[in-house]
Amino acid sequence: MNLLIKSATVIDPASSFNNQLVDILINDGVISKIGSSITADAETIDATGLFLAPGFFDLNCNIGELGLETKEDLQTGTAAAAAGGFTGLALAPNTHPPVHSKAEVEYLLNRANNNLVDIYPLGTISHKREGKDMAEMYDMYKSGAKAFTDGDRPVQDAGLMERAMLYVQGFGAKVISYPEDTSIAGKAKVHEGVVSTMLGMKGIPSLAEELMIARDLYLAEDTGSEIHFTTISTERSVELIREAKRKGLKVTCDVAAHNLVLTDEALMGFDSLYKVKPPLRTQKDADALIAGLKDGTIDAIVSQHTPHEIEYKDVEFEVAEYGIIGLQTAFSLAVQAGLPIELIVEKLSTNPRKILDIKAVSVAEGQFANLVLLDATGGWEYTREKNRSKSYNSPFIGHNLKGKVVLTLNNNKISKF
């Protein structure tokens, strides 16, 4: 594949061409030349007014394979990822069976071979995600698992979490915590506050998340371990992590894109498409999350892509499953949240790879072309026809969104939109 991208503005802090308007020539998947007024016998794309950045990387993505392929399989999931500008996915182990041994890790890596989107399976902390005994983490690490989490099941046993933190230090892996104290959250479905009271629904207190963050920060401090918190959602959570970073703890965190722009007021119509975990919080919480991104407290934005068949979402709110599909809308929601393009690239591309200790990608001559071309001001309508996922559980389908992915390029493969 030979491709010439003309007049693109590079957004890549690691590149010597950062914030410069340049032409980029790509030959056989490698950036062969960057400069001005380049001519070549190649397919040419006019990128005037567009931004070229390293491909996005998602730290929290659910794809049904293994075992839940009716929700999403690797083919449809990676297609949705490419349409959202993602060239790398860290797959949560919320599958059946869960990714709790090297067999599942190796299966996913083999299935995803030769794809535009690179796949990085995350292994479980506990066997079968039951929260009792540690899984075969070292074997999974040797087979390609970069980090360990029980996915959307928080580890309630503090002793198990402590042992996992200590164990992974021996081979340089990382533990990812989904922070929720289930004894406090109980069986509630929405954020505890004014809206839950008006709806007559039992709420999940912010304390359920914050208490678990405080616990795991103490464990990380005591063990000297690194810890990553995924999908934080409250103002106090941001404050706790901000203070931990000031103390020098090795802590990172991310936020789901939809928690930046949606609040619990969206639940007034009992629409199960807005049922997510952690729940949609208040505007004050959303403002704190955006402030945390801007001051560096929150390191990354994730899609928390969670596909479901219609029979799991188009039902009464109480029994509907949690989650929305988010790969194709993450960039648009970051734009809607008012984040500048440089910060979006940092949170969707640069930092996620740093967190998982994955080799950085850059817009530089001689590098493999792992790129996304973005229109930060262009609008697009997210329709069912444009949806690349196998599932349709997104409240944004049928809406006009700002911030468009024009092209995604990786592994000598290209997708245009």
Side-chain angles (χ1 to χ4, degrees):
M1 177 189 65
N2 297 327
L3 182 69
L4 177 60
I5 301 174
K6 299 282 291 183
S7 302
T9 300
V10 174
I11 303 295
D12 177 13
S15 173
S16 60
F17 297 96
N18 188 37
N19 285 318
Q20 294 184 33
L21 188 70
V22 297
D23 299 344
I24 300 98
L25 179 62
I26 299 165
N27 295 116
D28 297 325
V30 176
I31 301 173
S32 59
K33 188 175 183 181
I34 301 177
S36 58
S37 303
I38 297 175
T39 58
D41 182 17
E43 179 185 356
T44 301
I45 294 176
D46 182 6
T48 303
L50 305 181
F51 297 99
L52 189 71
F56 297 154
F57 189 100
D58 192 10
L59 286 170
N60 187 324
C61 178
N62 295 280
I63 289 180
E65 205 162 343
L66 308 147
L68 302 172
E69 288 86 355
T70 53
K71 299 179 185 293
E72 192 88 274
D73 56 38
L74 280 170
Q75 182 178 358
T76 58
T78 54
F86 290 94
T87 58
L89 299 176
L91 298 185
N94 309 329
T95 52
H96 185 73
V99 183
H100 63 169
S101 73
K102 66 179 183 179
E104 292 86 25
V105 173
E106 292 171 359
Y107 170 84
L108 289 170
L109 290 174
N110 288 333
R111 281 277 291 136
N113 192 34
N114 198 33
N115 197 300
L116 186 153
V117 180
D118 298 318
I119 295 299
Y120 295 85
L122 300 176
T124 62
I125 292 172
S126 67
H127 182 63
K128 294 184 179 179
R129 294 202 301 149
E130 292 177 345
K132 297 177 182 179
D133 302 310
M134 278 201 306
E136 301 168 0
M137 289 192 282
Y138 183 57
D139 282 349
M140 288 189 281
Y141 175 77
K142 288 194 296 182
S143 293
K146 287 287 186 179
F148 300 93
T149 173
D150 273 357
D152 58 3
R153 293 185 186 175
V155 177
Q156 298 300 304
D157 188 326
L160 174 62
M161 181 61 93
E162 180 191 34
R163 291 191 295 275
M165 288 183 180
L166 289 168
Y167 185 64
V168 299
Q169 288 185 43
F171 47 93
K174 182 170 291 188
V175 167
I176 298 176
S177 170
Y178 168 59
E180 182 187 79
D181 188 314
T182 56
S183 67
I184 293 177
K187 296 181 180 180
K189 310 295 181 181
V190 299
H191 170 68
E192 181 182 80
V194 174
V195 171
S196 66
T197 303
M198 292 175 63
L199 296 176
M201 299 179 70
K202 188 176 180 180
I204 302 173
S206 298
L207 181 64
E209 175 176 306
E210 296 153 5
L211 191 62
M212 189 63 80
I213 286 178
R215 185 203 76 174
D216 286 349
L217 286 174
Y218 276 119
L219 291 175
E221 183 175 22
D222 185 66
T223 60
S225 301
E226 296 183 48
I227 184 74
H228 178 80
F229 294 100
T230 189
T231 62
I232 69 168
S233 65
T234 78
E235 180 183 26
R236 180 62 178 148
S237 294
V238 178
E239 293 172 358
L240 287 167
I241 293 170
R242 183 180 289 123
E243 181 58 31
K245 288 190 171 188
R246 286 179 184 149
K247 290 172 62 177
L249 271 65
K250 294 176 283 189
V251 56
T252 54
C253 65
D254 64 55
V255 60
H258 52 259
N259 278 98
L260 301 175
V261 300
L262 296 174
T263 69
D264 57 354
E265 292 184 5
L267 303 174
M268 294 301 290
F270 291 98
D271 187 344
S272 62
L273 288 175
Y274 293 99
K275 184 178 179 181
V276 292
K277 199 81 171 290
L280 299 177
R281 306 285 187 181
T282 66
Q283 187 61 54
K284 189 177 181 182
D285 292 309
D287 292 341
L289 294 170
I290 292 171
L293 284 166
K294 290 180 177 178
D295 70 16
T297 301
I298 301 176
D299 302 273
I301 298 170
V302 299
S303 76
Q304 203 187 18
H305 181 79
T306 308
H308 288 297
E309 304 94 328
I310 188 171
E311 58 266 31
Y312 289 96
K313 292 296 281 188
D314 191 15
V315 291
E316 293 83 359
F317 192 93
E318 281 287 329
V319 298
E321 293 285 348
Y322 295 104
I324 66 174
I325 54 173
L327 285 167
Q328 287 182 243
T329 56
F331 173 62
S332 296
L333 298 187
V335 171
Q336 183 178 331
L339 303 178
I341 187 67
E342 294 84 1
L343 190 65
I344 292 173
V345 171
E346 176 189 334
K347 306 300 184 181
L348 279 175
S349 177
T350 308
N351 285 355
R353 289 183 171 88
K354 286 182 181 178
I355 289 168
L356 282 194
D357 195 26
I358 292 170
K359 183 180 179 181
V361 298
S362 184
V363 184
E365 291 181 357
Q367 295 290 314
F368 287 106
N370 186 331
L371 306 168
V372 59
L373 189 63
L374 304 165
D375 185 348
T377 58
W380 64 290
E381 184 181 5
Y382 185 26
T383 63
R384 290 179 68 88
E385 291 73 26
K386 291 180 181 177
N387 177 51
R388 302 296 181 93
S389 172
K390 186 178 288 189
S391 297
Y392 295 90
N393 54 304
S394 170
F396 302 106
I397 290 179
H399 289 232
N400 290 309
L401 303 174
K402 181 182 177 182
K404 181 180 180 182
V405 174
V406 178
L407 177 150
T408 309
L409 177 66
N410 186 34
N411 294 331
N412 201 24
K413 300 178 186 297
I414 185 170
S415 289
K416 302 175 192 175
F417 312 100

